[in-house]
Amino acid sequence: MKIALLLACIGFSACAIAQVPAGGYVVADGDFADAQSAQWQRGEQRQATENIAALRQQHFLAMPKAQAAVADLAWPLQPVPDFDQFDYHGTKYFVDHGPPYPGIVEDYTCGTRTYNLANGYSHAGTDYYLWPFAWLMMDQGQVRIVAAASGVIADKDDGNFDRDCDIASTTNPNFVRVLQDDGYSAIYLHMREGSVTALPIGSRVATGDYLGLVGSSGSSSGPHLHFELRDANGAVVDPRHGQCNAGPDRWIVFQAYEDPHIDTLSTHSAEPDQSVCGYVGGKNVDDTPNYKSVFAPGDTLWVLASYRDQRNGEVTNFSILRPDGSVFAQWDFDLASENEPLPFYSGTAWDWKYTLPADAPVGDWQFKAVFVGLTYARAFTVAASAVDLGAASAARVQVGANATRCRSADGRTPPGCP
Ligand SMILES: [Zn+2]
């Protein structure tokens, strides 16, 4: 957590200088990583093979076609229907195409966004993690894992502890393996305990069907999906094409190696806090975002922007606009100003603090950002009285506030709520 060094633009009608965040987070090396043991992998593979053989014997499963076409892959994550932010994830590690440890690591572009370990593990999938407030998003079940291609459930497990924060963990993951119609198999790892589909092994799933929720079960350092594809012989297939992977790109919607976006813009009553681990000292620990969307004049206003793939030199133009569109505050921000050890991070989040003046106009304000050619905006409300606060809080829904979306600040049930 960084200390506020400079809080500019407070009380000025408009200013545009580079402003240092009051606090920030970067997704560091080792965050959202995994290394399911070779022993677990062998055991699971054996189990899946036995399951498939049994299903075939019972004629539940057709033999694979001799030369089935390789299925294209659909995006394997899906937020809940009322999810109201721009995005919910970052992409951390890709398949390692380099020689085993201590060899160099090479992702599909010959870059280093992958890893191998001294125990012989080379990362064999792609890691998509929840971002920001990963533990809270996991606890609220905000992101579902869905089948990237149709097939049959060949193996699955549930009931395993799901708040692991260490890739050295030897607990088993909650997971689903789908034997795809093209003969490949896809494994979806680290699901939340109790979330794995109730469909029995042998059930058909279509592309987009629910498989489970993102969690952190098994060898996992944070809530993420490890998506791993293997061919009919069990060899790892990287569904991304690049200089270090001759295989074709298999995603229906191309995923860029670096995809700079703002995931979320949000407003808060106090500085948001993210937990590195969701389980400390034998207790569940959660993120404390301190979300707030309705403020009174004179209140402290915290704003937070979270990014997927942020690089030094990419400038964001932030502004806070009053209800009439006039500028309350405006500033530029570049990751380079933070002097972080690396010029690029797959996930970052930064917050700034303001004090709303005593004569702040009531109405809908905007927290706005322009980043890499896209404009993002989040509305918040300044209301004069408690009655207005209640009505307005029902109209403003923030991520993470689903449980209280129909409860006003004064406890009344606003119109339109059950
Ligand atoms: Zn992984």
Side-chain angles (χ1 to χ4, degrees), residues 155-177:
D155 198 9
K156 65 171 193 171
D157 197 13
D158 201 348
N160 298 306
F161 180 64
D162 62 5
R163 299 182 88 82
D164 266 311
C165 306
D166 185 356
I167 64 170
S169 166
T170 55
T171 58
N172 288 337
N174 305 314
F175 75 97
V176 173
R177 175 195 284 272

Side-chain angles (χ1 to χ4, degrees), residues 32-34 93 115 121 123 125-127 190 224-227:
F32 306 108
D34 52 69
Y93 293 117
Y115 60 95
Y121 179 77
H123 193 237
T126 306
D127 290 337
H190 312 302
H224 75 288
L225 164 66
H226 170 104
F227 175 82

